[in-house]
Amino acid sequence: MRWHPAGYGGSRRDPDQVKRDGWHDEGVLAVSVDDHRLTWPERELVRQLAEKLYGPRAGDREAANG
C-alpha cells in the first residue's frame, strides 16, 4: 500500500453526497435546472431564482433584433 499525503488518495464522494453535505453543513443549495427529480414548476422556480440572483444564462438570452 502506498502512502499518500492527507487529502490525496482514498475514495471520493459522489457529487450528490457533496451537495447533500453542503446543504446540511453550510446551508448551500446546488441544484441543476435540468434535474429530472424536479417537477416543471420546481424547475421554473429554480430558473427564476437563479436569473434574479445571477442574471440569465448565456444560452438563454434572446437575440436583440428578434
Side-chain angles (χ1 to χ4, degrees):
M1 184 157 89
R2 287 187 66 179
W3 176 84
H4 296 284
Y8 292 89
S11 61
R12 295 179 59 112
R13 296 179 294 168
D14 68 286
D16 277 335
Q17 184 62 47
V18 173
K19 293 175 190 178
R20 224 178 341 271
D21 291 346
W23 172 248
H24 290 289
D25 298 342
E26 306 294 332
V28 174
L29 179 63
V31 61
S32 171
V33 72
D34 299 321
D35 192 317
H36 69 278
R37 297 171 291 186
L38 301 176
T39 63
W40 180 84
E42 292 166 340
R43 287 192 305 271
E44 188 63 17
L45 175 63
V46 168
R47 185 191 63 76
Q48 289 178 13
L49 285 170
E51 285 186 358
K52 180 177 182 175
L53 294 172
Y54 306 116
R57 294 169 63 188
D60 292 346
R61 293 190 183 120
E62 294 182 23
N65 295 324

